[in-house]
Amino acid sequence: MSKVMFKSPEQTPLVSTKSIIVALALAIIGIVLIVLGNAIDLKYWKIDFGSNIAGVGALFLVIGILQWFFDRYVRSAFFAEVREEILGSTQAAQSGICGFYEDSKSVNFTEYFISSTDLTIGVNYSGKLIDNCIKLLAERTRKGNKTTIITIKTGGYAQKFIEADYSHANVEDGLRKIDDIVNSLDSERKLIQIKRVSTVLRYSFVHFDSRIWIVFGTNGPGRRAVPGFYVSKRTPWHSHFEEDIRLLLERVE
């Protein structure tokens, strides 16, 4: 990916020189008008032209000083903030993130469940995501679309690790619930397959045809809302997760 570079005006000698010239010109005009206004003693129709000219000169002088101050101290910080915002937004868009939910439990999978030819779901042991999508999975099965579910293996290292690290985790009940859901939808396991791995999944995911839904786990104890996001195809994030999921499938036992 090519890196977008931005140059702020203060980085170019030409622009810097022009700014100094403009500020200096305004200051000189202001001083000249002040001197000229004080030298003129002309009043007409109760208008003091000398005072007015001197006032205009003072205005030019102040504008010149403010212009110099802006160019010297403010412009750099201003363009740095603008550049940071533009670069941040551009890089985030180019990375592949195309959708975000503050609470991953509130995401609506309907559109992608229906349109995706193949679907791969990865969770450690919790059947919550699958339970929330029973109707969508049933519709996929009715249409003859295949679904793969990846979970950890019962009694393996991953289960021991999770139960030791999270005292509230009931891995066997969660895995049993997933089995029950799948059996109720496809008892012969022709269209919905459950594949087991011994490794702990670092994130939960749903791999659609055109995008991948990602939910990272938490390091701290306790239950709380976890954000989730989509990544779109042919982007760096999508390539990363797609390859990682492929390597995970190679560890199926």
Side-chain angles (χ1 to χ4, degrees), residues 184-241:
S184 68
L185 298 172
D186 182 21
S187 58
E188 297 182 4
R189 304 289 178 91
K190 291 182 178 180
L191 294 174
I192 304 178
Q193 291 186 332
I194 298 180
K195 298 185 177 182
R196 313 289 189 184
V197 294
S198 293
T199 183
V200 175
L201 275 65
R202 273 61 173 181
Y203 54 88
S204 299
F205 63 87
V206 185
H207 191 316
F208 302 104
D209 290 344
S210 61
R211 57 187 58 197
I212 305 173
W213 170 251
I214 300 292
V215 181
F216 286 105
T218 57
N219 293 317
R223 296 178 181 273
R224 56 189 181 277
V226 180
F229 59 93
Y230 282 110
V231 293
S232 58
K233 205 166 186 177
R234 291 183 291 275
T235 61
W237 267 123
H238 189 278
S239 299
H240 166 75
F241 287 120

Side-chain angles (χ1 to χ4, degrees), residues 67-135:
Q67 177 69 37
W68 174 83
F69 182 82
F70 175 80
D71 292 337
R72 182 69 177 82
Y73 297 104
V74 180
R75 183 190 294 269
S76 179
F78 172 74
F79 279 101
E81 291 182 8
V82 172
R83 182 168 60 247
E84 183 179 348
E85 289 295 326
I86 294 174
L87 278 173
S89 299
T90 302
Q91 290 172 343
Q94 291 174 340
S95 71
I97 298 177
C98 60
F100 170 79
Y101 284 78
E102 188 172 349
D103 185 350
S104 58
K105 294 179 182 178
S106 65
V107 66
N108 187 339
F109 291 117
T110 303
E111 176 185 350
Y112 309 112
F113 260 81
I114 293 174
S115 62
S116 292
T117 304
D118 291 311
L119 185 69
T120 304
I121 301 172
V123 294
N124 279 308
Y125 68 93
S126 174
K128 186 66 176 176
L129 187 153
I130 300 167
D131 189 30
N132 290 341
C133 299
I134 288 180
K135 291 182 179 180

